[in-house]
Amino acid sequence: MNETSELSELFSDLPEPIQRAIRELGWSQPTPVQSRVIPMMRRGCDLIVQAHTGSGKTGAFGIPIAAELDPDLMACQALVMAPTRELANQVAGEITALGRHRGVRCVPIYGGVGYTQQIEAIDAGVQVVVGTPGRILDHLGAGRLRFDDVKIVVFDEADELLSLGFWPDMREIRTYLPDERQSCLFSATIPERVRSLSRVFLRDAEYVSPSEGQIAPQEIEHYFVVTTAQEKEANLVRIIEYEDPESAIIFCNTKADVRYVTSFLQRRGLDADQISGDLSQAAREEAMGKIKAGKLRFLVATDVAARGIDISRLSCVIGFTAPESPEVYVHRTGRTGRMGTAGLAISLISGLDIGNFRQVQQVNRIQIAERKLPTDAEILERLKERLSVKIEQEVRHLPESERAWNVDRFIPIVESLAAAPEGKRDLAAICASYLREHRPETTVIEPPPSSAPPRSAPPREPDRPRGKRRRSPGGQGGRRRGRR
Ligand code: AMP
């Protein structure tokens, strides 16, 4: 497409420099999600948008950001939170491209890399920050970034942000944001925990699903994976590692399976216990009490054993064996996803069960999407991300004066361990046990209505890095407290 091509009506309504950038990108028509979101965002609505990668969602929020911000105000006016550095880079690249003829300055900010380049970019002037919450918080805490002029906040891949454990960081970022702002949340799925996030950050939000117009979001996210019968238990562990549910009930059809799966999970170092039909109602309630109190993570049960117990607080239900009837599926999954929990229902389906499982969907009139099993590399990447999010959170909360003693003096030990194969194994063992002991906070606990979490303490002494610190060009004025 060339620079004189006709643009759609929606694009032609945009400021001329944005139209020019859109032409240069070769876009002539908005995608469905852009058609719905761009006008609503430009009107200032708070939105919850169900959109997948590949739908043009970045343009859907990138165009309004680039079109609405004040190019003459060199202060951060829009914040996009993204779960990974790859996404942050991609989104920042697209917003930079869309805003180039308006001189929009967009900076990607993410953890796991040095600070110098980011500090230089912030100091050179930033109007849009796109980044991972932890590192953004570092710059805020150090006073390098200020969000007093932020008018638009976007959560990109909100479900992933929560899944990787960024909730505590997002909660803290909220205290740096002005009350008066527009907030929009984009997520491939809208389970309960995403809606909880929206209740904390958004006001009178409208739901948008490009395919069906406005939708009521699904209560529970359902999906299934196809697995061979032989690898089922190993694949169950893969899914658990990938999804990292806070707690889950795992349904089997027979007592023998319950015993087998429980011991398999325990051998993999997972905190699992079983309830069988032989137990009294009181003993079953006790097992349930343990899982609710966070003293047990996985409960393996038959449908019969689980009958009559309240699983409404559980975030995840896993069908290790396919349900024997469509009603059983509803019974298994129908009671999760309440009380502010995530509501995730996963079924492991082996070849023979596929026909039956289709019937489950037809009878219950639900469409359950198939997902591929996560690969080893995907699982490792996720473990790595969770580990670094959690460790960064811990280090951030250590006062600077205590870091030398609590952290830095161990660096020579780490260096010598990392230099030898056996030492590497010791480090790996430390990582594994740290991950087991320190699960990320993935559930959004809402503050009581209309009470802002008071930012009682003054901002902490600036953190890492130890190098230069300067004020951001937009960093004038005191911090205001966000109320939503
Ligand atoms: P996203 O869903 O934001 O990751 O975008 C998926 C791809 O679609 C990206 O490569 C975008 O550059 C491209 N894209 C976004 N909007 C349009 C559009 N209106 N026309 C053509 N391509 C687009």
Side-chain angles (χ1 to χ4, degrees):
M1 160 158 223
N2 64 45
E3 299 221 357
T4 56
S5 304
E6 279 289 303
L7 286 187
S8 75
E9 208 180 310
L10 180 89
F11 284 166
S12 314
D13 265 359
L14 295 163
E16 191 283 327
I18 305 290
Q19 289 188 35
R20 209 171 351 138
I22 286 176
R23 279 202 188 87
E24 285 165 7
L25 284 168
W27 305 354
S28 56
Q29 297 289 330
T31 66
V33 69
Q34 290 167 358
S35 297
R36 294 193 45 80
V37 167
I38 292 171
M40 293 174 95
M41 266 191 85
R42 293 193 73 199
R43 280 204 304 274
C45 302
D46 279 11
L47 298 177
I48 299 172
V49 184
Q50 186 167 18
H52 290 87
T53 300
S55 60
K57 65 180 168 69
T58 317
F61 60 77
I63 289 172
I65 286 175
E68 298 302 323
L69 62 71
D70 175 359
D72 298 324
L73 175 64
M74 193 44 76
C76 184
Q77 298 169 57
L79 162 67
V80 180
M81 287 183 247
T84 62
R85 85 159 82 160
E86 290 74 24
L87 189 63
N89 266 329
Q90 199 181 305
V91 170
E94 201 158 308
I95 293 177
T96 302
L98 286 163
R100 59 190 290 212
H101 299 302
R102 289 193 89 212
V104 170
R105 295 190 57 90
C106 177
V107 175
I109 283 178
Y110 40 78
V113 295
Y115 282 76
T116 314
Q117 221 182 334
Q118 291 175 5
I119 294 173
E120 280 169 7
I122 292 168
D123 286 352
V126 52
Q127 293 165 315
V128 184
V129 162
V130 182
T132 52
R135 181 58 70 89
I136 290 173
L137 206 48
D138 283 348
H139 290 292
L140 284 169
R144 288 185 288 267
L145 256 185
R146 292 194 180 252
F147 284 165
D148 307 277
D149 291 292
V150 165
K151 288 175 192 62
I152 305 179
V153 175
V154 169
F155 299 85
D156 196 7
E157 300 195 357
D159 199 12
E160 284 294 290
L161 279 165
L162 292 173
S163 170
L164 290 174
F166 282 122
W167 165 237
D169 299 336
M170 293 193 276
R171 184 172 50 204
E172 210 169 327
I173 286 176
R174 175 169 159 267
T175 66
Y176 291 85
L177 291 167
D179 284 354
E180 279 314 310
R181 60 166 199 271
Q182 178 183 20
S183 305
C184 297
L185 179 157
F186 291 72
S187 192
T189 58
I190 319 281
E192 171 56 29
R193 64 176 174 185
V194 171
R195 278 180 287 155
S196 304
L197 180 70
S198 78
R199 286 194 286 271
V200 174
F201 278 90
L202 277 58
R203 198 147 50 191
D204 301 326
E206 300 202 37
Y207 284 104
V208 177
S209 159
S211 49
E212 303 152 40
Q214 302 216 347
I215 48 131
Q218 66 203 72
E219 289 289 325
I220 306 168
E221 183 188 351
H222 301 255
Y223 76 84
F224 73 94
V225 293
V226 176
T227 164
T228 59
Q230 296 81 355
E231 290 171 311
K232 227 176 189 189
E233 50 287 334
N235 287 335
L236 169 67
V237 173
R238 297 173 87 86
I239 290 171
I240 286 174
E241 285 218 293
Y242 190 78
E243 293 290 350
D244 198 33
E246 212 156 272
S247 58
I249 186 160
I250 298 162
F251 283 104
C252 302
N253 289 352
T254 64
K255 285 188 208 169
D257 272 351
V258 166
R259 279 194 293 275
Y260 179 67
V261 169
T262 308
S263 76
F264 191 88
L265 295 181
Q266 288 169 345
R267 286 202 306 277
R268 287 284 185 278
L270 293 163
D271 179 26
D273 204 349
Q274 55 184 309
I275 47 173
S276 78
D278 308 335
L279 292 181
S280 66
Q281 178 71 16
R284 293 183 215 169
E285 292 291 346
E286 193 190 323
M288 244 0 255
K290 270 186 3 192
I291 204 165
K292 281 183 199 161
K295 291 185 183 135
L296 174 69
R297 202 169 156 212
F298 298 106
L299 189 62
V300 188
T302 59
D303 295 289
V304 176
R307 197 166 288 158
I309 56 174
D310 170 24
I311 58 168
S312 62
R313 280 169 201 271
L314 283 194
S315 60
C316 184
V317 169
I318 302 177
F320 179 77
T321 28
E324 279 172 337
S325 73
E327 296 73 46
V328 168
Y329 185 80
V330 172
H331 209 254
R332 284 179 179 181
T333 63
R335 291 179 292 161
T336 186
R338 300 196 207 142
M339 318 289 287
T341 55
L344 181 61
I346 306 166
S347 303
L348 283 93
I349 303 294
S350 54
L352 286 175
D353 296 326
I354 288 181
N356 273 349
F357 198 64
R358 227 171 264 136
Q359 211 202 344
V360 165
Q361 301 182 54
Q362 276 162 5
V363 172
N364 292 321
R365 295 193 193 172
I366 38 170
Q367 262 201 337
I368 304 178
E370 181 182 347
R371 296 234 184 117
K372 293 258 164 293
L373 278 163
T375 63
D376 287 344
E378 284 166 345
I379 293 170
L380 271 185
E381 185 57 32
R382 243 178 138 73
L383 293 179
K384 195 178 100 192
E385 273 165 3
R386 287 201 190 106
L387 188 66
S388 56
V389 168
K390 194 74 196 161
I391 291 175
E392 279 183 13
Q393 278 166 2
E394 249 179 51
V395 175
R396 184 175 310 120
H397 288 102
L398 269 180
E400 180 84 27
S401 55
E402 290 171 26
R403 286 214 185 132
W405 174 259
N406 285 303
V407 180
D408 296 354
R409 73 194 172 105
F410 292 92
I411 290 174
I413 301 181
V414 174
E415 280 169 348
S416 81
L417 284 173
E422 274 312 309
K424 280 187 186 152
R425 172 166 274 179
D426 293 347
L427 282 178
I430 291 168
C431 290
S433 104
Y434 182 87
L435 266 178
R436 261 198 302 276
E437 304 292 316
H438 298 77
R439 294 216 44 266
E441 243 181 86
T442 54
T443 306
V444 177
I445 308 293
E446 293 172 57
S450 81
S451 71
R455 208 179 162 72
S456 46
R460 259 181 297 280
E461 224 335 75
D463 294 348
R464 293 162 296 168
R466 314 259 149 82
K468 56 185 174 170
R469 272 180 213 129
R470 289 182 245 147
R471 276 167 68 87
S472 95
Q476 67 299 83
R479 170 180 306 146
R480 273 178 274 159
R481 288 169 193 173
R483 208 178 301 125
R484 45 175 179 135

